[in-house]
Amino acid sequence: MQQQPILVLFLALAGITTIVFTYIFVSSKKAAQSEKGMSNPLKKRFWFSLILFVILSIFTTATLPDSPYYLFADETPAKVVHVAARQFTFFLSEKAIDPASPTGEDIELPADELVEFRVTSLDVNHGFAIYNNSNRLITQVQAMPGYVNRLRYKFKEPGQYDILCLEYCGMAHQAMRASFTVK
Amino acid sequence: MESIKLRKITSVWVITVLILFIVSITLGILMRLNQGEVISQSPVTFYSNLTTHGLTMIGIWFVAGMAAVNYLMQRYIKTSYAANVIALVFTVIGVLMLWTATFIGKFHAAWTFLYPLPFKEMGAATWATLLFLASLTVLGIGWLIWSISLMTQILKKYSIAQAFAWQHFKKNPKVETPPFILISMITLIGVIACLFAAVVLLVLFYAEYFSKGNFVNDALLMKNLTYFFGHTIANEMLYLGLAVIYELFSEVSGRPKWKTTWYVALAWNFTLIFVLTAFFHHLYMDFVQPEGLQIIGQLASYLASLPAAGVTVFSVFIAVYRTKIKWSLTNLLFFIGIAGWVIGGLGAVIDSTISNNIVLHNTLWVPAHFHTYNAMGNVLFSLGFFYWFSTQFSENSKVSKFTTLTLTLLLIGGIGFLLAFYFGGADSIPRRYSIYPSDFPMAAPMATIGATFATIYLIAILIFFFNIYKRCLKILFSPS
């Protein structure tokens, strides 16, 4: 899963930062009155900024193509699921949902095929977050009144997937959920 | 006379901010204890506390930065005492209105109050929404008057080009713009821009409220306005803190004053652009938002770290590395605060990567990173100023005995409370849940651990408060 490497990367960077700040602080505490501090600070500043710029550019180039807007953009979904969120429930249906009298049905999706969720809201902003059966967040999109967000995904593992609301929507936000099956 | 009045009102700001901070931390601890199932609050109580906690925290650390900048600006230009008083009065009234709406009216739409949630709340009093919107209006007017007044005073002494330090792009500039003035100017423009966005947002809310259904807003536009306002003000309050550090770090360390150079000018001019466009990263998960804006969101968020790290953080490194300086609670708080700001920034840059955001957005990773650069960053910048300010007019120098204890507790409490958030975020635990579903067995124990460490942080703040409040009261009640 993607979250563990992210946490490890963060903890490593936070650790390095802490070591650098501690080292610099200790160097000041140990410094003699006559010490002149950093030599060639402008040159070092330049290299520090340039290296940071290069690292950020590499990360940008590497990560932007993986943005959800581009994933599966050229493929045709095998299945379309309509989703309407309303305080504090989700309606999922393979047919278009009537906002005046929304109804949902049990959803079964194929594994390894492209699925498109067309997600909207009938009242306030909600989140449509899909968790796998290890309770890991695997993908998400917002449900916004007046708009339809299209989320595309290929489920690899069969099983039950849970949907949790991840945009705060009021007093029963924490209880707003649904599920579907992948076979 | 003017400076004594300014001294007194600044001490009122310091005491007010610290008292409101203690109350707000307590609300935060109660929320974590509820999530840990140690205490039991109703969801409406939890979410109204969440609303109070978020908005009060943003408000107090914004005014803390403004009060510090206003106080130090007097060194360069004459500032308006009246604007400062108006801001104080409006802030106190605004906070009281906000607390009435949340504590009594049970308004609970969170600090984001995303349209149209304030109109579709269940379990809140009918009058609470209007009072909430009115409270933001009062706060906004007070802060706008203050910001515009400070900017106007800068422009009375410096031309626009000088206030932006553009003359520093040439060799041997005739006029030097102090870094403090440059950063204040850049920050005030951002503050004024986001407060104007708040005005538009509030007008649209009022228009729908009073039209009784004849006028309906666009949810995407309202979300963009909300985050332009919310993200920008939360960022700008950090920059107010940095202006204070540029002014005071070298001074309290007994080192030569920092000067504006071409790269300092360039960095801060670019910062203005990045800070005004980074807010798009809040809308990554709204796929209907134009893609170009999503990309700008990631680029601006990444690029904002360049001037911050290459200029500000590196300047602190240069000032400290192998240099004998006078360490006190003030510059230690600044130094640790810069480290907290960097670490929180790393968490933020990771989250601002669109392909990461899809698995981190609205999980506990979000409160993890913003609490890092606030509770262990910006707050320490302001505490550093508060401490320095309180010791300016005091003959009693027996104040250092609490330094080690305060910092140790701050670090232990802060790091422990933040790690509980980061691990929760990596474990996909949602933010803003009053209680956690059984799918997340580690969520409740981690919340309790977070609350325990946050209590240690609170103890550090209480020690700090009792260390300085008497000196602040002495300044307030000293004969003018």
Side-chain angles (χ1 to χ4, degrees), chain A residues 91-125:
Chain A
F91 300 99
L92 279 79
S93 173
E94 290 187 28
K95 300 185 286 290
I97 296 170
D98 177 9
S101 56
T103 52
E105 61 203 28
D106 288 344
I107 295 291
E108 208 169 83
L109 298 173
D112 290 321
E113 290 203 59
L114 183 61
V115 178
E116 179 174 289
F117 296 93
R118 295 185 184 167
V119 185
T120 190
S121 168
L122 304 177
D123 45 33
V124 301
N125 285 282

Side-chain angles (χ1 to χ4, degrees), chain B residues 160-177 182 186 260-273 311:
Chain B
I160 288 182
Q162 287 169 350
F164 282 97
W166 290 341
Q167 77 278 18
H168 286 274
F169 296 143
K170 291 183 195 158
K171 273 189 179 170
N172 306 321
K174 285 188 187 121
V175 180
E176 206 233 337
T177 306
L182 165 67
I186 296 283
T260 302
T261 55
W262 65 267
Y263 50 84
V264 170
L266 190 70
W268 280 98
N269 276 269
F270 270 116
T271 297
L272 178 61
I273 299 166
V311 175

